[in-house]
Amino acid sequence: MPDGLDYNLIVIGGGHAGAEAAWAAANRLRPEFDARGGAASGGAKGKVALVTMDPSKIGAMSCNPAIGGLAKGQMVREIDAMGGLMALAADATGIQFRILNISKGPAVRGPRCQSDKYAYAREVQRLLATRPNLDILTGAVQDFIIEDGKCVGITYLPQTPDHRPTQSLRSSATILTTGTFMRGLMHTGPSQTPGGRVGEAPSVGVSAALTKLGFELGRLKTGTPPRLAAESIDFSTLELQPGDDEPIPFSEMTPAPGFPGISGSPADHFPVLAQKPCWITHTTARGHDLIRANLDRTPMYNGQIETAGPRYCPSIEDKVVRFADRSSHHVFLEPESLETNEIYCNGISTSLPADVQEQIVRMMPGCENAIILRHGYAVEYDMVWPHQIDATCMTKRVPGLFLAGQINGTSGYEEAAGQGLIAAVNAVRFGRGEQMVRLRRDQAYIGVMLDDLVTKTPREPYRMFTSRAEFRLLLRADNASERLTPLARELGLIDDARWECYQATREAHAALQKDIATRSVEGQPMSRWVARQEIDTDALLAQLNGDPLPDLARDRRVVDAFLADLRYAGYIHRQQKQIDQLASQEAAPLPPELDYAGLPGLRTEAALTLNKFRPTTLGQAARLAGVNPADLMVISVALNNGGA
């Protein structure tokens, strides 16, 4: 570690972004490590500090106790492909696994896991504790240390029994991941409570510190539904929603049926925890009438909350107003843990007064006698408008200061974790004076997300959808390792065990390809037979029975990916040609100091937009609202003539 520094990297906040950032940085700064969380050999090359107000809440699932879903599941696989911890923790603590959109094409399928939320947080904390070069410090951040325009550390107030005064920590880079805690304010009807999560105080000093540095802050809103006591619900009257018969894990490092697992231990098995179903109920017309009658008591409609919430995950009061013709909405009753009786009401996020919530819940079938363990609430929080960061997650205003997670206007555990990983990679590289990394839109959903954040101003919390990715045939859940693990290896993020797992998978893929190329089925080449739409993974596995193939070539995950590559080869080839055609424009760098207002012929609207967002490439500039092809031509001419 360089002289004069307490740490190579400081991570602020222990949510999903902070945990992933701390994990990735601690791994990158060690010569060797075990990606399953075991003891590692070799001495530490650098140290990481994770500063949080409550270490027991690291990895907490504040809202829905689930990981993955449509597009989100792809991001979890991408995080895993780059050596992250989210997939490992989800696999170890999942109580229901499902592949969403299984009847549709592989590009829009999404792996999802219902997690035991308490076990998940413990597993994240356990994994982080295996990193001896990671210190977890309890305290509240007060300010940033800025020297020569760069962030070189923080001041924080330790929360210790001896009441120590404010401390200074110096580092090469700092990652800020505040979640919903920056001036967080929770609303249940007229009741307002400062905090970013029930029972947890807000972070107040960070907002002031960022404002002092000149950052433009915004304010967003999210919400959560009531939790019910399981014993008070009549599940016998409700539709059952089971998980998949053969659960598919997120991580390639997690053994599955028929898959030996890289650890090689016969004791390894999957799934780890007992699997539980969910149930489906619905709101009622009577409940909707009650909501309409009480809109003047809900913060979203009486002016108490003025900030934007997510349209894709609206509160029940929003649903009733926006979809007035609907007499009911589905509500998914999801167990939160094997250890408690808590049931999560997915579909009725609300900030209605407690007495109204009680009545609405008891109007739902099966919930006539339901007991509410915790009422739903909305939470408002500060964020930093993301045009002020680069796709590396570093702020443009203050080098050495990185932002990740909800502070950038996103929503969701998976989006936060993806940003935390990229921020950590680049924070370490920044501290070493190395070129930073930007994932492309054709390379990862994480790349799509970061590009969207730096080229569009979010009007609501940003959530990833498959529709946001123009090259989604290339960005499937089943090929994440193929897309990203070689890069992760190059960046020093993954260990030998994970690399061997990747190589074994590629060898199995090649063995399948060779086997199919030499066989015939039903009087035709097997390569033609297997491309038929009615041929699924089970049919192919049946044909492979008895063939001399490595065990891994019979694993469902490998065969699924192989079939997708084969079936969509023509479409993938066309998409790749489009990417190649756009590559020169996409990669053309733009000088960071360029004053667009001074370019002759550039429209005023385009100049204002470009000076605000400061795109780093011509491709990013092309995706800015208010910049048209003629503007791009003006910029290109200026670059070619040396006028920029």
Side-chain angles (χ1 to χ4, degrees):
M1 190 163 58
D3 293 338
L5 295 184
D6 298 294
Y7 292 95
N8 293 76
L9 177 64
I10 296 171
V11 179
I12 301 169
H16 300 275
E20 206 69 61
W23 173 261
N27 287 340
R28 180 62 187 88
L29 291 168
R30 296 186 69 191
E32 294 181 72
F33 63 93
D34 174 3
R36 291 203 64 82
S41 61
K45 293 174 66 177
K47 294 194 70 177
V48 180
L50 172 58
V51 183
T52 176
M53 292 189 289
D54 186 351
S56 71
K57 293 300 195 308
I58 292 173
M61 306 183 91
S62 306
C63 198
N64 192 0
I67 297 294
L70 301 180
K72 289 170 170 281
Q74 282 89 324
M75 295 180 78
V76 179
R77 290 273 176 86
E78 291 174 355
I79 292 164
D80 181 67
M82 297 189 74
L85 65 72
M86 177 169 273
L88 294 172
D91 288 347
T93 61
I95 57 178
Q96 187 191 99
F97 290 81
R98 293 176 64 214
I99 302 294
L100 306 186
N101 270 354
I102 191 63
S103 62
K104 298 184 179 179
V108 293
R109 293 175 189 163
R112 183 183 188 271
C113 159
Q114 190 77 19
S115 291
D116 182 316
K117 71 175 185 180
Y118 300 109
Y120 183 90
R122 288 197 302 268
E123 180 65 7
V124 170
Q125 293 167 29
R126 185 195 73 80
L127 287 167
L128 292 176
T130 64
R131 299 300 178 250
N133 61 337
L134 171 61
D135 291 342
I136 296 177
L137 308 178
T138 305
V141 173
Q142 303 294 301
D143 207 345
F144 303 99
I145 302 173
I146 308 297
E147 293 179 0
D148 297 325
K150 297 180 180 180
C151 182
V152 296
I154 64 167
T155 60
Y156 82 109
L157 184 62
Q159 296 179 1
T160 57
D162 57 357
H163 303 290
R164 284 183 289 163
T166 298
Q167 305 286 305
S168 295
L169 293 177
R170 299 183 70 85
S171 64
S172 298
T174 298
I175 302 174
L176 182 60
T177 71
T178 54
T180 59
F181 283 82
M182 280 208 305
R183 292 200 312 124
L185 182 63
M186 296 176 290
H187 302 259
T188 300
S191 173
Q192 299 181 42
T193 306
R197 190 162 50 211
V198 166
E200 297 180 60
S203 172
V204 179
V206 175
S207 291
L210 290 169
T211 300
K212 184 176 66 175
L213 290 174
F215 286 99
E216 180 187 350
L217 270 57
R219 200 151 172 83
L220 291 176
K221 168 257 176 191
T222 189
T224 192
R227 271 67 162 182
L228 310 182
E231 66 274 13
S232 67
I233 301 171
D234 183 3
F235 293 111
S236 67
T237 65
L238 302 179
E239 179 185 346
L240 194 70
Q241 187 186 52
D244 292 341
D245 292 335
E246 185 177 333
I248 302 295
F250 280 107
S251 177
E252 291 197 358
M253 300 296 288
T254 300
F259 179 60
I262 201 66
S263 69
S265 169
D268 279 343
H269 64 283
F270 181 86
V272 176
L273 302 182
Q275 298 296 281
K276 294 292 183 181
C278 298
W279 298 266
I280 303 175
T281 184
H282 58 82
T283 58
T284 63
R286 286 178 56 222
H288 290 197
D289 289 340
L290 182 64
I291 291 170
R292 293 187 190 98
N294 284 276
L295 286 177
D296 60 331
R297 300 178 64 200
T298 182
M300 286 297 295
Y301 286 90
N302 65 10
Q304 187 174 313
I305 294 178
E306 297 180 355
T307 50
R311 285 180 298 118
Y312 51 79
C313 187
S315 64
I316 187 58
E317 47 266 44
D318 275 345
K319 290 181 182 179
V320 168
V321 171
R322 287 165 50 189
F323 309 107
D325 57 325
R326 294 277 301 273
S327 60
S328 70
H329 294 279
H330 277 135
V331 179
F332 299 89
L333 302 180
E334 303 171 339
E336 292 206 313
S337 174
L338 300 178
E339 305 167 13
T340 69
N341 63 341
E342 297 164 282
I343 298 293
Y344 182 91
C345 295
N346 191 346
I348 54 170
S349 171
T350 184
S351 59
L352 282 160
D355 63 300
V356 180
Q357 293 189 37
E358 299 270 357
Q359 296 177 69
I360 293 168
V361 165
R362 289 175 183 157
M363 290 174 181
M364 300 189 310
C367 301
E368 292 83 359
N369 299 305
I371 296 172
I372 294 183
L373 299 173
R374 192 175 83 199
H375 292 92
Y377 62 91
V379 57
E380 290 182 285
Y381 55 94
D382 286 350
M383 47 79 71
V384 176
W385 295 114
H387 66 266
Q388 298 167 100
I389 66 167
D390 177 58
T392 62
C393 289
M394 189 168 77
T395 64
K396 298 172 183 176
R397 182 175 292 275
V398 181
L401 178 60
F402 294 74
L403 308 181
Q406 284 178 282
I407 192 172
N408 288 332
T410 60
S411 175
Y413 309 144
E414 303 82 2
E415 289 88 344
Q419 292 171 68
L421 187 150
I422 296 303
V425 170
N426 284 312
V428 171
R429 294 179 73 83
F430 174 83
R432 293 179 168 182
E434 299 171 352
Q435 185 176 0
M436 290 193 285
V437 176
R438 298 173 179 85
L439 295 183
R440 304 186 310 272
R441 295 183 70 91
D442 63 292
Q443 196 173 16
Y445 270 95
I446 297 172
V448 173
M449 170 181 62
L450 286 166
D451 187 73
D452 282 350
L453 289 177
V454 302
T455 57
K456 300 174 177 65
T457 300
R459 300 177 183 273
E460 60 185 346
Y462 178 97
R463 177 182 178 176
M464 180 52 69
F465 297 103
T466 54
S467 59
R468 296 190 191 274
E470 62 271 43
F471 302 117
R472 54 186 171 272
L473 272 178
L474 299 178
L475 307 182
R476 306 189 312 270
D478 58 45
N479 68 358
S481 61
E482 183 180 350
R483 291 184 276 119
L484 294 171
T485 297
L487 172 64
R489 181 69 167 179
E490 181 183 331
L491 295 174
L493 290 171
I494 60 174
D495 65 351
D496 290 342
R498 189 175 289 267
W499 183 243
E500 289 165 10
C501 179
Y502 166 77
Q503 290 181 311
T505 301
R506 300 314 304 156
E507 289 168 5
H509 194 285
L512 275 173
Q513 199 164 28
K514 181 178 179 180
D515 187 68
I516 287 172
T518 59
R519 290 189 50 195
S520 297
V521 177
E522 299 176 2
Q524 60 182 311
M526 193 174 184
S527 57
R528 186 179 303 169
W529 172 84
V530 81
R532 286 158 39 184
Q533 287 298 318
E534 67 270 22
I535 303 304
D536 59 12
T537 298
D538 289 329
L540 179 54
L541 284 170
Q543 283 292 331
L544 296 174
N545 188 33
D547 286 11
L549 291 167
D551 288 341
L552 193 53
R554 304 178 197 282
D555 178 70
R556 181 170 294 275
R557 291 175 287 186
V558 175
V559 177
D560 280 344
F562 177 81
L563 266 178
D565 282 342
L566 190 68
R567 186 159 291 160
Y568 293 98
Y571 299 103
I572 291 171
H573 179 68
R574 283 200 290 272
Q575 279 203 348
Q576 192 59 58
K577 286 184 66 176
Q578 292 174 343
I579 292 166
D580 294 342
Q581 290 169 359
L582 294 170
S584 58
Q585 173 177 289
E586 181 61 43
L590 295 175
E593 72 284 354
L594 177 59
D595 180 11
Y596 293 94
L599 291 185
L602 189 63
R603 295 178 307 115
T604 301
E605 179 190 1
L608 289 172
T609 299
L610 289 160
N611 277 331
K612 175 182 178 180
F613 284 91
R614 309 299 311 176
T616 57
T617 68
L618 203 58
Q620 283 187 358
R623 289 186 288 277
L624 293 173
V627 177
N628 63 33
D631 299 321
L632 297 174
M633 183 60 69
V634 171
I635 298 169
S636 296
V637 170
L639 291 173
N640 291 333
N641 292 339

